[in-house]
Amino acid sequence: MTPSHDTLLEMQRRMLRIRRFDERASKMVKRGHIPGTVHTSIGQEAQVVGAAMALADGDYTAGNHRSHGHPIGKGSPLGPLMAELVGKATGVCQGKGGSLHLADFAVGSLGESGIVGSSIPIATGAALSSKVLGNGKVSLAFFGDGAANQGCLYEAMNIAGVWNLPIVFLCENNQYALSTPAHTVTSGVIADRAAGFGMPGVRVEEGQDVLAVFDAVTEAVDRARRGDGPTLVEVVTYRFNEHSEGLRLGVDYRNADEKALWLEKDPIVLFRRHLVAEGIATEEEMDALEAEVLAEVDEAVRFTDESPFPDPSVAFADLYTDPTPGPSVDNLIGATA
Ligand SMILES: Cc1ncc(C[n+]2csc(CCOP(=O)(O)OP(=O)(O)O)c2C)c(N)n1
């Protein structure tokens, strides 16, 4: 299905939001305005937005340490996300999550975590809940090429296959796990591993092309929603910045020619060119969009600056959810006796 004119422009808007948000976060962490560190998705925006926009509003995502972009791709406003990075009470997690533990339930973002691979069982559990509740929601787990070598992916793919769960396993193959090149630790092709679990495996070579990612993930999401089960989608992409902002490893594990080649394939530049060439937008409209997004980021920072830090008394609030209403344990015991 060809996306509508508005959807195409929205794709560019969301890619720009991720880029400008992460650029600002990078500056803020280096100036000490954000505690800890941040991991940017700069360079990977086509993969993030193509996947996120293939989902419906109520669908679930689970992310990793590089996950500011995932809720932005699903449509989160920038202010509460930026406030979360700084630890302000107006943040999406009331300032208690920070950059590594963002969650925005309003857009189905179940959260991210620094534990590599942990998005996978979380999204699989969410897919199981959708199946049990019959609510038609699809889950998508974002994880890197490094995480693809964690055993939990194969446990999750196995059970998702057996139970026919509505899930998409989305490997963001940016070709490096920190400083480890994927080809030195990854045997074969990640997408091919799907065959072992009886599910389709798709490799998107043109991962800098938002439409290529959108098409592949849309097909996987449709399949999941129809009740036909899981898909593994591997997207080939590249991160332009260091693993995390300000990280200095002392060795350059990435070849300068390789980097230059990938910088040529900047997904935002490529898509802008496409939109103009196809007559979907003019250069002036594209400039105006860029200015709008920059203003949104400025506004998010202003909102953050003017927000208070949380009161220490809320530290232990929201740790547990209310028990799910359902049959009591006594009734269950009675039923089997
Ligand atoms: C279980 C676990 N093992 C190791 C680490 C240390 N670590 C943090 S990020 C990272 C690399 C992850 O690479 P990848 O999954 O490819 O994601 P990317 O950073 O490329 O997006 C590692 C090994 C961790 N945080 N958690």
Side-chain angles (χ1 to χ4, degrees):
M1 192 185 71
T2 312
S4 69
H5 178 271
D6 287 353
T7 303
L8 292 169
L9 292 179
E10 189 61 20
M11 285 174 170
Q12 182 73 345
R13 179 188 298 278
R14 292 189 193 184
M15 290 203 290
L16 277 165
R17 279 186 182 145
I18 295 171
R19 174 73 56 95
R20 302 291 172 243
F21 181 92
D22 269 353
E23 282 171 350
R24 190 66 66 90
S26 167
K27 281 194 187 132
M28 287 165 68
V29 82
K30 286 171 189 157
R31 290 175 188 157
H33 296 166
I34 294 174
T37 187
V38 297
H39 303 72
T40 70
S41 297
I42 294 171
Q44 300 185 205
E45 295 90 347
Q47 164 254 305
V48 177
V49 170
M53 287 187 66
L55 294 164
D57 288 349
D59 288 340
Y60 298 123
T61 61
N64 58 1
H65 48 280
R66 196 177 303 289
S67 277
H68 308 153
H70 300 142
I72 298 175
K74 275 295 242 85
S76 280
L78 302 185
L81 290 176
M82 188 60 90
E84 188 59 42
L85 265 50
V86 178
K88 294 293 182 86
T90 53
V92 274
C93 302
Q94 294 156 45
K96 294 193 274 182
S99 162
L100 274 175
H101 303 99
L102 286 180
D104 188 357
F105 294 162
V107 296
S109 146
L110 299 177
E112 52 162 337
S113 158
I115 302 170
V116 167
S118 61
S119 59
I120 299 163
I122 290 169
T124 307
L128 175 59
S129 82
S130 299
K131 176 132 188 176
V132 169
L133 297 172
N135 61 17
K137 294 185 181 190
V138 173
S139 287
L140 185 145
F142 285 106
F143 56 92
D145 46 280
N149 290 331
Q150 293 278 54
C152 66
L153 175 62
Y154 305 100
E155 296 179 29
M157 285 168 70
N158 186 54
I159 207 71
V162 170
W163 288 342
N164 221 28
L165 298 183
I167 182 162
V168 180
F169 298 100
L170 195 294
C171 178
E172 312 179 292
N173 186 351
N174 64 13
Q175 307 173 58
Y176 293 86
L178 223 159
S179 55
T180 305
H183 71 88
T184 64
V185 291
T186 301
S187 182
V189 173
I190 292 169
D192 290 351
R193 297 176 181 185
F197 300 93
M199 67 179 74
V202 183
R203 190 168 207 255
V204 184
E205 300 284 354
E206 296 303 326
Q208 303 306 80
D209 173 357
V210 66
L211 293 177
V213 181
F214 180 78
D215 284 350
V217 181
T218 298
E219 201 175 323
V221 169
D222 288 350
R223 176 181 146 81
R225 214 179 307 279
R226 276 197 311 271
D228 291 342
T231 303
L232 172 63
V233 181
E234 175 190 2
V235 182
V236 183
T237 183
Y238 205 76
R239 73 170 145 71
F240 290 174
N241 283 16
E242 194 32 90
H243 170 74
S244 60
E245 294 311 284
L247 182 69
R248 286 194 180 80
L249 293 175
V251 282
D252 200 352
Y253 51 90
R254 297 194 292 186
N255 172 299
D257 292 343
E258 173 193 283
K259 270 199 253 179
L261 205 74
W262 279 92
L263 282 170
E264 284 291 304
K265 295 198 267 182
D266 182 322
I268 295 176
V269 175
L270 290 183
F271 200 51
R272 175 177 168 139
R273 221 175 272 157
H274 170 80
L275 292 176
V276 173
E278 293 296 313
I280 292 155
T282 62
E283 295 284 4
E284 292 69 31
E285 282 165 340
M286 289 285 94
D287 288 343
L289 183 64
E290 302 227 4
E292 257 175 59
V293 171
L294 260 183
E296 268 183 64
V297 175
D298 285 343
E299 174 55 25
V301 174
R302 190 200 58 76
F303 171 78
T304 300
D305 287 345
E306 291 178 2
S307 296
F309 284 105
D311 190 277
S313 65
V314 302
F316 296 105
D318 304 316
L319 283 185
Y320 301 102
T321 185
D322 293 331
T324 310
S328 76
V329 175
D330 289 347
N331 288 347
L332 289 176
I333 293 168
T336 53

